[in-house]
Amino acid sequence: MINRNRAPVDYIPYNYLSNSWQKLLMDLMMKWYPNRDDVKELIDQLYIRYPHGFYVNAKKKMKNAKGAAKYIGRYLARPAIAEYRIEKNDYNSVYF
């Protein structure tokens, strides 16, 4: 059910976005690898290394939901690193 009495949100604080993005990614890693001590250690290290969350490119205000979905889709549809930069993959580590 949609609550139509709420005012539209036109601003989300950057700190909230960066911390939320970090938590979402770390929670997904824990969900995907629940019994891996090395993943737990990596997550702990990332929280220490990035105490204010992960970088979020949120400087520009989106004009509409369609534009926002298109913008986000560009990042979801491509890999985190270009394939040509990967030198070796032994299924435990990626070297680039």
Side-chain angles (χ1 to χ4, degrees):
M1 183 164 90
I2 298 173
N3 183 350
R4 299 193 189 277
N5 295 326
R6 289 186 181 176
V9 175
D10 61 352
Y11 173 77
I12 300 173
Y14 179 81
N15 290 342
Y16 176 80
L17 284 175
S18 60
N19 288 327
S20 297
W21 179 235
Q22 181 183 36
K23 178 155 178 27
L24 174 77
L25 292 177
M26 300 299 101
D27 288 352
L28 282 173
M29 287 175 62
M30 284 301 297
K31 180 180 176 184
W32 294 335
Y33 305 102
N35 301 318
R36 297 271 308 264
D37 289 336
D38 57 337
V39 173
K40 291 176 186 176
E41 185 177 324
L42 173 63
I43 289 169
D44 289 343
Q45 290 172 3
L46 289 170
Y47 274 120
I48 292 168
R49 185 173 178 184
Y50 301 98
H52 303 292
F54 290 158
Y55 175 76
V56 176
N57 185 359
K59 307 244 185 222
K60 188 167 77 171
K61 183 177 178 179
M62 298 290 169
K63 293 182 175 140
N64 57 46
K66 185 176 179 181
K70 186 176 178 181
Y71 177 80
I72 293 167
R74 286 192 309 229
Y75 291 96
L76 295 176
R78 66 180 185 193
I81 185 171
E83 187 175 353
Y84 75 88
R85 295 184 63 200
I86 298 173
E87 295 178 5
K88 178 182 169 187
N89 173 11
D90 63 12
Y91 296 98
N92 288 316
S93 299
V94 176
Y95 303 89
F96 60 97

